[in-house]
Amino acid sequence: IERKTASKPESRFAGDRCEEGADAMALVPSSERWEEEEESTEGKLYFKFSETRVPCVVRKVLEDAGWREWDPEKHPESLWSLHWKSGRFKLSDWDRCLPHQRINHCPKTSAITKKDNLHRNMKRLAGSYGAVYNFVPTTYVLPNEYVNFMREYAEQHEPQIWICKPSDSSRGRGIFLIRDMSELIYDQQYIIQRYIKDPLLIGGFKFDLRLYVLVPTFQPMRAYLYEEGLVRFATEKYTCDNNTDLTNVYSHLTNSSINKYSPSLNENKATIGPGCKWPLSRLVKYFEGMNLDAAAIMQRIKNIIVLTLLALWPKVPAQESGFELLGFDVMLDSQLDPWLIEVNASPALATDTSLDMQVKAPLLADTLKVLGMRPQPVEEKKRGRKPLSHSSGPVAPAPNRRPSLSRPLSNTSSSSKISAASTAPPRSSASSASTVRGTPSHTTKATPQRHPASVRSAPSPSSTSPPESTRGGGSARDPSPARVPLSRRVVGVG
């Protein structure tokens, strides 16, 4: 385009420049225009948002790191490297991911991020492994476990306080406290949990901890605890006696989304000062000033996080596209024993205060560094189909094959990947060529026709690819392995 417009004088008006550019564009064949646009995106990282209300800090961190937003009207689907979404993804979304693409959730993680599922899994593991899993308050799911709760309620010697929460809600919505059964009213699935009536107080105020845990892969499992976190305070002093007003959410709940509306939010409260949040590092210094062993307390919290994540290991299928940034809510009682309150699949990333930005912006920046995101490789661009929106003329049909969904065994060059595949033993993850979701390779029979529910990897152009006997199932005509999408697989682990 620059070559064809070089002879024309530069226009002083934007409209003239656009018109000249349009005339020059018409002289360039559509295939050349596509190649020029493709070269302009080479080596650049693109992020994709499928929701309109995305936290500003996410966009800011990505743009500050040099990322660009993916445009569905201008860019092919294979161009983006990160897909960020607060809600859940479909199983087919993981199937369609290319090796360089990551999405910020994994399948089956609702086993701990839904309150009812967390209770069931912790109860199951406590039955198998004993008291090591007794870090969750006594919990019942209503209405399924209503009879068991009534038995527990009838056996209490004095009135106890119970806290009721919707099983699939967040930000403190729908939470209420009861002492008497007549106060229990619900219209959806709830959990009812024994209230921690003797929490550790600072300046007379109740608090809990919001800790951030990054899990880049579950097969094998690796988890990182972010060094900084948030300490969330209630904004009115805590009391727990027979005359306590259980409807005062500013005294009994620590959710920032609730306490930010408190009339005493900006008052200079005893010890904690104005606001309702501390950074975790300030709490550690407070413990050290009170001659408390902060390192031992944090180690016990780390143990709780590890034991909770182990509940997911047999449930999350092996895949390399998804990752999780989880928010663990932990509360300390007066004996400094940590209790797991809940696990959030999409921890709040709103930046209502400067402290939120100081904690959450570095959190997201470090998340990108740990994930090691990379742009779309050039060979994937050449192999993929070009979208019709990039051309005003006819486009030649692409070869009758699907893009490869196989994963590299390492982050090394292509030559070292091949040598590693031929010498290393088969892995247990989805990238292993000898198994398909835990099924031995000899059970996958070669068939002359493709099943409509299967997805095959495109044949590798390299002449050094492994022989057909080491590539799993597939027909004699097509040496590529038969791959089954996540939505069609049956996981039989654990």
Side-chain angles (χ1 to χ4, degrees):
I1 298 173
E2 293 178 357
R3 181 177 64 252
K4 294 182 180 299
T5 59
S7 59
K8 295 186 178 182
E10 183 178 356
S11 175
R12 297 173 56 188
F13 301 99
D16 295 340
R17 286 197 297 269
C18 293
E19 185 176 356
E20 292 170 1
D23 293 338
M25 180 71 76
L27 299 175
V28 182
S30 60
S31 59
E32 294 183 16
R33 292 205 306 271
W34 166 257
E35 295 296 336
E36 289 171 347
E37 291 187 16
E38 191 174 37
E39 290 176 2
S40 65
T41 62
E42 182 176 341
K44 296 181 176 63
L45 289 165
Y46 286 82
F47 61 89
K48 176 182 178 181
F49 290 155
S50 55
E51 296 171 332
T52 56
R53 298 182 62 182
V54 176
C56 299
V57 65
V58 179
R59 184 184 299 274
K60 181 181 184 303
V61 169
L62 289 170
E63 292 179 349
D64 290 348
W67 288 65
R68 302 185 179 186
E69 186 168 2
W70 177 81
D71 189 342
E73 298 181 358
K74 298 179 181 179
H75 301 137
E77 183 70 23
S78 60
L79 184 61
W80 59 265
S81 296
L82 173 64
H83 187 178
W84 191 279
K85 184 178 179 181
S86 298
R88 309 303 301 181
F89 289 91
K90 300 178 181 178
L91 289 177
S92 57
D93 292 330
W94 287 281
D95 296 327
R96 291 194 294 265
C97 280
L98 297 174
H100 71 282
Q101 294 177 330
R102 304 296 299 270
I103 53 183
N104 68 319
H105 289 300
C106 292
K108 308 296 183 181
T109 54
S110 60
I112 65 172
T113 57
K114 287 188 62 179
K115 298 178 183 68
D116 56 333
N117 291 341
L118 176 65
H119 154 67
R120 294 188 184 98
N121 283 287
M122 295 299 103
K123 182 179 179 180
R124 172 179 58 84
L125 292 171
S128 300
Y129 300 103
V132 69
Y133 271 94
N134 289 347
F135 51 78
V136 178
T138 303
T139 307
Y140 297 95
V141 179
L142 302 179
N144 296 350
E145 299 177 347
Y146 179 81
V147 175
N148 296 336
F149 166 68
M150 286 299 301
R151 186 181 297 114
E152 175 85 13
Y153 179 83
E155 292 175 355
Q156 60 187 14
H157 300 291
E158 58 182 12
Q160 301 289 332
I161 298 178
W162 297 82
I163 183 169
C164 306
K165 309 175 186 177
S167 61
D168 191 16
S169 185
S170 60
R171 295 183 290 178
R173 292 173 293 188
I175 298 179
F176 61 94
L177 282 70
I178 66 168
R179 279 198 190 94
D180 191 83
M181 280 298 300
S182 60
E183 302 170 344
L184 180 60
I185 301 175
Y186 56 93
D187 57 356
Q188 56 180 304
Q189 182 171 270
Y190 261 68
I191 67 164
I192 186 166
Q193 197 171 65
R194 188 182 296 276
Y195 189 58
I196 303 175
K197 64 179 182 180
D198 58 341
L200 181 65
L201 304 178
I202 296 180
F205 296 90
K206 183 179 177 181
F207 70 94
D208 72 351
L209 310 179
R210 166 60 61 87
L211 304 173
Y212 300 97
V213 177
L214 172 64
V215 187
T217 174
F218 286 89
Q219 304 284 349
M221 177 172 285
R222 295 201 316 272
Y224 300 86
L225 173 63
Y226 188 55
E227 293 180 348
E228 194 59 279
L230 291 175
V231 183
R232 308 181 303 176
F233 289 92
T235 50
E236 294 188 11
K237 289 196 173 183
Y238 175 80
T239 58
C240 186
D241 51 34
N242 294 333
N243 298 323
T244 300
D245 182 11
L246 297 184
T247 62
N248 186 358
V249 294
Y250 302 129
S251 174
H252 293 279
L253 302 184
T254 59
N255 304 74
S256 301
S257 56
I258 292 177
N259 283 280
K260 67 181 181 181
Y261 298 109
S262 172
S264 59
L265 173 65
N266 297 320
E267 294 180 3
N268 191 10
K269 297 176 282 294
T271 308
I272 67 174
C276 62
K277 295 178 185 177
W278 276 7
L280 181 62
S281 55
R282 182 176 174 180
L283 178 66
V284 172
K285 292 180 180 179
Y286 174 82
F287 283 162
E288 293 173 350
M290 299 294 293
N291 295 323
L292 300 176
D293 193 349
I297 295 174
M298 291 306 300
Q299 185 58 52
R300 296 185 65 183
I301 293 176
K302 292 177 184 178
N303 294 339
I304 288 178
I305 293 173
V306 171
L307 291 171
T308 305
L309 289 176
L310 287 176
L312 287 179
W313 179 77
K315 299 180 179 294
V316 178
Q319 47 80 38
E320 298 181 9
S321 299
F323 68 93
E324 286 286 356
L325 181 60
L326 302 171
F328 279 72
D329 292 345
V330 178
M331 183 173 291
L332 299 173
D333 63 15
S334 58
Q335 304 299 318
L336 300 181
D337 292 328
W339 295 89
L340 178 64
I341 304 302
E342 63 181 56
V343 182
N344 297 271
S346 297
L349 295 175
T351 52
D352 299 327
T353 65
S354 59
L355 176 60
D356 289 323
M357 183 63 72
Q358 294 172 11
V359 172
K360 297 173 183 178
L363 165 69
L364 295 172
D366 286 355
T367 298
L368 296 178
K369 293 178 183 178
V370 172
L371 295 175
M373 307 295 295
R374 57 190 179 90
Q376 179 188 19
V378 178
E379 55 270 17
E380 287 186 5
K381 292 184 179 182
K382 295 180 180 179
R383 185 170 61 245
R385 182 191 296 268
K386 299 173 183 178
L388 293 175
S389 60
H390 287 271
S391 174
S392 58
V395 178
N400 187 18
R401 65 183 185 184
R402 298 177 184 265
S404 174
L405 297 180
S406 60
R407 301 288 184 188
L409 296 178
S410 65
N411 292 328
T412 56
S413 62
S414 58
S415 59
S416 60
K417 293 174 189 174
I418 296 174
S419 61
S422 60
T423 58
R427 297 173 58 184
S428 60
S429 63
S431 60
S432 173
S434 60
T435 59
V436 177
R437 195 59 70 202
T439 306
S441 59
H442 64 270
T443 62
T444 307
K445 298 181 180 180
T447 56
Q449 297 180 349
R450 291 185 179 181
H451 194 278
S454 64
V455 178
R456 296 179 184 270
S457 300
S460 173
S462 174
S463 60
T464 59
S465 58
E468 182 180 353
S469 60
T470 64
R471 296 174 64 90
S475 64
R477 294 181 299 171
D478 185 3
S480 60
R483 298 184 60 84
V484 183
L486 286 174
S487 56
R488 303 298 184 107
R489 296 172 185 166
V490 178
V491 181
V493 183

